[in-house]
Amino acid sequence: MTLTGFANPDEIRARFSRAMSAMYRAEVPLYGELLTLVADINRHALDSQPGLAEAMDQAGDLQRLADERHGAIRVGTAEELATLARLFAVMGMQPVGYYDLSPAGVPVHSTAFRAVHEDSLRISPFRVFTSLLRLELIEDAPLRALAAQLLASRQIFTPRALALIERHEQAGHLTHSEADEFVEQALETFRWHRQARVSQAQYDRLHAQHRLIADVVAFQGPHINHLTPRTLDIDSVQAQMPARGIAPKAVIEGPPRRQHAILLRQTSFKALEEAVVFTDPAGTISGSHSARFGEIEQRGVALTPKGRELYDRLLGQARASLNGVPAERDPQGYARLLEAAFSDFPDDLAQLRSQGLAWFRYRPTAQGLAKGIKGYDLEALVSDGDIAFEPIIYEDFLPVSAAGIFQSNLGGEPRIDYGSNANREQFEQALGRAVIDEMALYAQMQQRSLEACQTQLGGSFAS
Ligand code: OOG
Ligand code: NI
């Protein structure tokens, strides 16, 4: 606790993330099993790869690892989304990026709430992938009306949570005891509700339109649908999951395995078929709903727009060479296609840097500090060993991967063709503000590290 009377937003976020994890662990026991597996494998990776722990420690990436996770929720209305943005702001989380999932047959668009500054990310990188249901993509008008009416009549925030959000906006901070209460109250929004707000018949109609619509509309709130720990070796976790009673999806989403991880690799598993109670008289009718799942991810270096373009192109190439056969049918074959396509992507930090494909954080070495250099150019300082560089970790998500995660957890139902309906403007209007461009954030991080080098070494250098 600090000496001031006010709670630090980064601390509130760290505590909220821990509280969410404890709640999800109690609700979804398989998540606890997954955490144990990931911790074992991370420890093994750190023990067996010389230099890894030190490199991660240097980058400020080691301390946050055990506590690192993202979650996901889905909301139904503009007001719910805008209020969530205000709730996350109390914890120093802002909306970053816009993701359109409609091309994958999922009627939502999304953003990720997260901290944006490296100092805050080091304290807690907790992120929440947040999707807004797009009722306008549902063609069945009576069903659309039912969904709209159900959404209009629910309140997903507790009165006290709303009061504390307002308090934070007016005062600019919360006291420690208000922050304690805020964490407790905010958590209520993400809790699972066994009692549905619809009859069995209504649930069936919503579900028949799209499982996701039933999930968003039929319940009291946007239950957290997964929490994802970060692993240092996703292939080992994937291989060891079955022995722990966890059946992962067949294919790891994202780039192939590499010497130097780029962006994000993810795999998920279906966690639960949950008992629910419908509103039919006397609550006699009960059924089940499956929404909540587990996921793991491995994060690597963030790519520049040029690197991202190359990634998108090579991924597209690998997928095109599947010739329409689902990757799940031959995971090994797909892994080979992916590796072949990505042989065109340099797998060497110096190359990634010199070709401008990835973002890096720079810092003066002991040698550089001892010399106290002035006026050299950055490349000379790097090649002389006066300045070192390390990868900036990717903090965001990937739309193609997210679509794969959505699809595998929605089950094998036929895909609805919503076409491509990106509408960032409409999303931002609902959100009540613009989303932040993630590339600008990475560029700022890199730039701040260069400026810190200049301050520490004395003088300035051309970059
Ligand atoms: C979100 C799916 C996307 C990820 O990590 O890409 C996602 C959802 O199912 O609500 O979590
Ligand atoms: Ni996820």
Side-chain angles (χ1 to χ4, degrees):
M1 202 186 272
T2 49
L3 289 175
T4 67
F6 306 124
N8 180 320
D10 295 332
E11 292 300 336
I12 304 178
R13 180 175 67 261
R15 284 175 43 208
F16 182 77
S17 166
R18 267 176 241 131
M20 185 86 106
S21 185
M23 180 175 85
Y24 200 61
R25 207 174 175 140
E27 291 180 344
V28 181
L30 220 45
Y31 168 67
E33 190 64 45
L34 182 71
L35 289 184
T36 312
L37 174 60
V38 167
D40 288 352
I41 285 180
N42 286 355
R43 201 172 315 113
H44 180 76
L46 289 167
D47 289 347
S48 62
Q49 295 174 47
L52 179 61
E54 199 196 325
M56 287 187 67
D57 191 26
Q58 275 285 5
D61 209 21
L62 189 62
Q63 308 82 297
R64 73 181 217 183
L65 181 67
D67 237 7
E68 180 159 356
R69 61 187 73 93
H70 84 252
I73 54 167
R74 306 150 182 171
V75 294
T77 67
E79 197 193 335
E80 289 177 353
L81 182 68
T83 310
L84 271 176
R86 296 169 56 213
L87 177 142
F88 284 131
V90 176
M91 304 184 239
M93 297 163 83
Q94 300 190 50
V96 179
Y98 172 76
Y99 304 87
D100 171 30
L101 278 302
S102 63
V106 185
V108 304
H109 43 186
S110 322
T111 190
F113 287 96
R114 65 168 178 88
V116 297
H117 192 286
E118 56 273 25
D119 295 345
S120 296
L121 287 162
R122 211 166 285 144
I123 296 171
S124 168
F126 183 55
R127 330 164 170 83
V128 181
F129 192 88
T130 303
S131 300
L132 174 65
L133 178 64
R134 303 179 71 177
L135 280 181
E136 78 276 11
L137 297 182
I138 304 173
E139 269 174 18
D140 178 341
L143 194 70
R144 202 167 57 224
L146 169 66
Q149 175 247 314
L150 284 163
L151 290 169
S153 62
R154 75 175 185 184
Q155 171 53 273
I156 66 171
F157 303 98
T158 69
R160 189 63 189 144
L162 291 171
L164 288 165
I165 291 170
E166 264 170 44
R167 164 104 194 119
H168 174 263
E169 285 168 350
Q170 277 156 17
H173 47 245
L174 294 182
T175 65
H176 291 291
S177 67
E178 285 168 342
D180 290 346
E181 221 189 330
F182 174 81
V183 168
E184 204 175 280
Q185 294 288 324
L187 202 58
E188 288 306 307
T189 296
F190 303 89
R191 194 180 287 289
W192 170 251
H193 299 273
R194 175 192 170 87
Q195 176 66 55
R197 298 181 70 234
V198 295
S199 67
Q200 167 96 66
Q202 287 172 324
Y203 178 87
D204 290 346
R205 276 179 66 204
L206 293 164
H207 192 280
Q209 179 67 216
H210 201 300
R211 172 125 60 127
L212 187 94
I213 299 172
D215 184 56
V216 176
V217 167
F219 299 92
Q220 179 52 44
H223 38 258
I224 181 86
N225 68 47
H226 65 282
L227 270 188
T228 304
R230 174 175 163 203
T231 176
L232 299 176
D233 183 356
I234 197 168
D235 300 279
S236 294
V237 180
Q238 172 98 347
Q240 291 182 36
M241 275 155 91
R244 307 248 183 159
I246 308 174
K249 76 194 276 292
V251 168
I252 295 177
E253 300 286 346
R257 182 184 182 86
R258 294 161 51 93
Q259 201 63 37
H260 297 282
I262 55 170
L263 296 174
L264 175 63
R265 299 179 71 209
Q266 300 174 298
T267 183
S268 66
F269 60 91
K270 214 176 134 184
L272 280 183
E273 191 70 45
E274 272 160 311
V276 297
V277 180
F278 296 111
T279 56
D280 301 79
T284 44
I285 302 190
S286 53
S288 73
H289 177 73
S290 120
R292 298 197 299 161
F293 59 96
E295 185 190 42
I296 47 165
E297 65 188 13
Q298 180 167 4
R299 289 185 175 263
V301 66
L303 300 184
T304 60
K306 183 182 171 198
R308 180 53 188 272
E309 215 168 276
L310 182 58
Y311 169 78
D312 286 336
R313 187 156 60 72
L314 299 179
L315 183 70
Q317 208 170 295
R319 292 170 78 90
S321 43
L322 284 167
N323 287 318
V325 180
E328 290 72 26
R329 220 171 280 168
D330 179 10
Q332 269 95 34
Y334 178 63
R336 280 193 297 274
L337 289 176
L338 208 51
E339 264 170 42
F342 276 82
S343 61
D344 284 346
F345 208 116
D347 192 5
D348 170 274
L349 291 182
Q351 288 275 331
L352 289 171
R353 193 184 75 85
S354 63
Q355 293 187 30
L357 295 169
W359 299 107
F360 290 91
R361 183 173 292 121
Y362 295 88
R363 69 187 156 74
T365 60
Q367 172 192 306
L369 287 170
K371 283 198 209 159
I373 303 127
K374 289 192 196 339
Y376 292 169
D377 76 36
L378 177 62
E379 293 314 310
L381 290 166
V382 167
S383 62
D384 290 351
D386 295 326
I387 285 185
F389 59 90
E390 61 217 11
I392 293 180
I393 293 295
Y394 189 57
E395 302 287 346
D396 296 288
F397 295 85
L398 296 168
V400 175
S401 299
I405 299 289
F406 261 109
Q407 282 304 342
S408 76
N409 295 293
L410 289 172
E413 45 197 69
R415 258 186 202 202
I416 301 165
D417 188 3
Y418 294 108
S420 185
N421 278 285
N423 193 340
R424 179 174 169 155
E425 218 166 275
Q426 184 198 42
F427 184 82
E428 291 182 334
Q429 201 147 28
L431 183 66
R433 57 166 290 181
V435 298
I436 299 171
D437 169 20
E438 70 278 13
M439 289 296 177
L441 296 176
Y442 295 119
Q444 286 161 16
M445 278 190 199
Q446 180 171 298
Q447 186 54 32
R448 276 194 291 267
S449 77
L450 285 168
E451 282 161 15
C453 285
Q454 301 190 9
T455 308
Q456 289 176 62
L457 292 173
S460 63
F461 45 81
S463 62

